[in-house]
Every structure is written in C-alpha cells, then in structure tokens.
Amino acid sequence: NQRRGMTGFVEADFDERKRIVYLTGFASIYKIDMDNDQLIGTLDLIDLYESQNINGWSPTGLSGVTLSKEKDKLFITSGDAHSFYTYGFEESKWLTNITNLGGYFITDAVASPDKQYLYTVNEKSDSITMVNLTSGDVVRIIRLS
C-alpha cells in the first residue's frame, strides 16, 4: 500500500472483514463495496462542520484515511484544515473531537503498524505530527528543520 497524500493522489483503507474500502475524495470519504465496486455511502466532512456551526478552514484536501485497529472508528486528515477528524461507526456519526495537527499543508498520513499512532507529514511547516489514535491528542510535533 503506497501512500502519496493530498487529493491529487488517492488514499484508502480497507475493512476486509466487512469488504468495504474507504476512499478519500476532496471533502468526503467514499464507502465502496469491495466485491462489486459499488458506492454504498459517503461520509461528508462538510456535514461535520455544518452540524457544529464551525467556521474556519474548510475540511478539504483530504490527505489520509485510516481505520482503527478494532475497525470501529475512521480517522481522516485534511491538508487544508490542518486537522484530524474521527468518525465512529458504533455511533454512526462524526465524533466531536477535532484536532488541530499543528502543521501546515499536510501531504500524507500513515498509521503505525499497531494502529496506536498516526503520523502526518506537514510540508510547509517542515514537521511531522504524531497523534495518539486512542485519545485523538497530538503527542508531539517533530521539527525537521
């Protein structure tokens, strides 16, 4: 699974048990049936902003999508909003914790093999942000310059 980031390049994660691929769009995650390639749903980040009356950086330029280890949550990063979002499958809704990643122009995101941490590459701020996927909190920002 080669990761490239931002909307010019597709990002995806796979729930092989449920046979669903979660694929990034510009401001949406597309749920696609892996057996028949049919679109079965869309998770729109704009809905999250509208439901909470959030004004600010638009949740566009999606640069990463990662399922939790238990596959009960979906973590999404936005390059334009410099933020990290969580969708809860058990709750069937966006969870309210929106995390500012402290980096500018996030171009990629990758989870650790144990899915405990998410790392984002922040191109314009020359840094990497480390996020704890259990709490949703930024653990640290690693400066590269």
Side-chain angles (χ1 to χ4, degrees):
N1 172 347
Q2 189 172 12
R3 311 292 293 221
R4 298 198 189 279
M6 287 307 287
T7 57
F9 305 98
V10 174
E11 291 291 319
D13 205 350
F14 303 85
D15 185 335
E16 293 187 13
R17 184 174 36 88
K18 291 184 180 177
R19 308 294 299 152
I20 298 172
V21 61
Y22 297 92
L23 186 68
T24 58
F26 188 64
S28 303
I29 301 296
Y30 301 105
K31 297 171 21 179
I32 300 170
D33 185 301
M34 290 171 62
D35 295 319
N36 62 21
D37 299 328
Q38 297 294 312
L39 179 67
I40 55 176
T42 304
L43 303 173
D44 292 312
L45 281 117
I46 300 298
D47 294 343
L48 168 64
Y49 274 42
E50 287 177 358
S51 71
Q52 296 183 27
N53 291 325
I54 296 172
N55 294 314
W57 288 97
S58 177
T60 54
L62 301 184
S63 56
V65 58
T66 303
L67 282 161
S68 65
K69 184 176 184 176
E70 298 80 16
K71 301 197 185 313
D72 61 339
K73 293 183 178 113
L74 191 65
F75 307 110
I76 298 105
T77 55
S78 165
D80 293 340
H82 329 294
S83 297
F84 167 83
Y85 311 93
T86 304
Y87 185 85
F89 290 116
E90 291 177 7
E91 302 85 351
S92 294
K93 67 178 187 176
W94 293 103
L95 304 180
T96 56
N97 187 21
I98 298 172
T99 304
N100 183 317
L101 294 169
Y104 180 64
F105 196 65
I106 298 163
T107 57
D108 205 355
V110 64
S112 60
D114 62 4
K115 300 254 183 162
Q116 184 175 356
Y117 298 102
L118 182 79
Y119 298 87
T120 67
V121 176
N122 313 313
E123 181 181 328
K124 298 290 184 187
S125 56
D126 292 332
S127 62
I128 295 172
T129 301
M130 179 181 180
V131 178
N132 181 312
L133 289 178
T134 301
S135 68
D137 296 327
V138 171
V139 175
R140 71 176 172 259
I141 297 174
I142 303 160
R143 303 286 173 205
L144 301 175
S145 58

